[in-house]
Amino acid sequence: MRSQLLWSAARCLWARQVVSPARRHLNCGSLPLEELFARGGPLRTFLERQAGSEAQLQVGGSELLAAAKLLSEKEQELQETEHLLHDENEDLRKLAENEITSCQKEITQLKHQIILLLVPSEETDANDLILEVTAGVGGQEAMLFTSEMFDMYQQYAAFKRWHFETLEYFPSEIGGLRHASASIGGLEAYKHMKFEGGVHRVQRVPKTEKQGRIHTSTMTVAVLPQPTEINLVINPKDLRIDTKRASGAGGQHVNTTDSAVRIVHLPTGWN
């Protein structure tokens, strides 16, 4: 059951929507947040059982239990406040409306927090990353889509106050992007970006279309964590060093100076 919950939570995190004029809503097959936390649903039942047994989860631990308890309290508070909407006092009804809006925002934030706590953490979550985008199926329209996606990631990095350095950039003829890569560094950058990897699709009427037909285009995103530290130890006994000297007629350095050196790592055969 727990593996199914983690899968549902991960799919909810991976869901991405592309919003712009003349674009269709794309259904990624992920469960809506309200459906995921529905009363009687598997995730809600799982959280209630954990809270009742006071068990400590390996994923999230006591922090998950605290968030689940706070979510239950906020939902109870919301229900009690909604009854005040029918009060005869107009001022009290306005106060209730403001309180309900604030409470709903807190509940949504708590649900997102619980989903993040359900997803197991990785050792590389705190690492910087290398982002690569490549145009896929769709010709020039796919390249335009790739350019928009790359710009979106750059703006997101600026919003998060991350370091963004473009490493490669190969534009197309009409302002699109064939391929690009960037180095992104900042607080938990890889943790927030690792689910972006994969194929992204857009359905819209492209700029290159003259008859108003909807096209489907794709692009791929690769997110690779950068290692924080590399410990490399080479035993001198594992190295074979071959030297070469010039031969034949020449100056005074002929046969006296090593003009070529080859180092071979014996266990791997690399040179």
Side-chain angles (χ1 to χ4, degrees):
M1 175 180 176
R2 181 170 160 189
S3 61
Q4 294 176 349
L5 293 175
L6 291 176
W7 174 241
S8 297
R11 290 180 66 186
C12 185
L13 284 176
W14 295 336
R16 292 294 183 268
Q17 296 179 357
V18 181
V19 181
S20 70
R23 293 187 182 179
R24 279 178 157 181
H25 171 71
L26 302 181
N27 185 3
C28 301
S30 60
L31 291 175
L33 196 61
E34 295 303 323
E35 183 178 344
L36 194 61
F37 283 87
R39 290 288 181 183
L43 180 56
R44 177 74 65 171
T45 303
F46 174 74
L47 294 174
E48 291 175 351
R49 286 179 180 176
Q50 295 300 324
S53 63
E54 297 183 357
Q56 297 297 316
L57 299 176
Q58 293 181 357
V59 181
S62 59
E63 189 177 355
L64 174 61
L65 296 178
K69 182 179 179 181
L70 184 57
L71 174 62
S72 179
E73 294 175 353
K74 284 295 179 182
E75 289 177 335
Q76 181 65 29
E77 179 183 341
L78 177 62
Q79 291 180 0
E80 295 174 355
T81 308
E82 286 177 342
H83 291 300
L84 299 177
L85 293 175
H86 306 288
D87 194 272
E88 297 178 356
N89 191 320
E90 183 179 356
D91 293 335
L92 189 59
R93 291 199 303 269
K94 291 182 179 180
L95 289 174
E97 291 175 358
N98 295 334
E99 185 64 25
I100 288 174
T101 301
S102 176
C103 198
Q104 288 174 339
K105 290 181 179 179
E106 293 184 35
I107 288 175
T108 302
Q109 292 174 355
L110 284 170
K111 289 179 178 179
H112 283 292
Q113 181 182 354
I114 289 174
I115 291 176
L116 289 174
L117 290 173
L118 281 170
V119 179
S121 60
E122 301 179 17
E123 294 182 359
T124 56
D125 279 351
N127 289 22
D128 297 342
L129 61 99
I130 295 295
L131 173 75
E132 292 186 355
V133 296
T134 306
V137 178
Q140 291 291 342
E141 166 63 8
M143 297 179 192
L144 291 172
F145 179 44
T146 303
S147 177
E148 293 173 3
M149 291 290 289
F150 189 74
D151 291 342
M152 179 191 71
Y153 291 131
Q154 187 171 9
Q155 293 175 17
Y156 180 70
F159 170 76
K160 299 288 289 186
R161 297 184 179 180
W162 292 341
H163 169 73
F164 189 98
E165 179 184 358
T166 301
L167 304 178
E168 295 179 319
Y169 197 91
F170 300 100
S172 66
E173 294 78 8
I174 63 173
L177 182 59
R178 300 177 184 274
H179 173 79
S181 62
S183 173
I184 303 177
L187 181 62
E188 295 184 335
Y190 182 71
K191 178 180 180 180
H192 289 83
M193 293 288 294
K194 60 184 178 182
F195 297 117
E196 287 294 318
V199 179
H200 295 245
R201 184 189 68 170
V202 64
Q203 288 181 306
R204 63 182 179 184
V205 179
K207 296 179 180 178
T208 56
E209 172 60 43
K210 297 181 180 179
Q211 298 181 3
R213 294 175 297 183
I214 295 177
H215 289 226
T216 300
S217 303
T218 64
M219 56 86 64
T220 57
V221 177
V223 181
L224 307 173
Q226 295 188 32
T228 55
E229 184 177 353
I230 299 178
N231 294 322
L232 183 61
V233 179
I234 299 179
N235 191 336
K237 296 181 180 180
D238 293 336
L239 301 179
R240 185 183 75 235
I241 302 176
D242 301 326
T243 59
K244 301 292 183 179
R245 294 185 177 182
S247 60
Q252 59 182 349
H253 296 292
V254 172
N255 292 324
T256 62
T257 304
D258 294 334
S259 57
V261 179
R262 171 184 288 182
I263 302 178
V264 180
H265 187 240
L266 298 177
T268 61
W270 290 354
N271 58 73

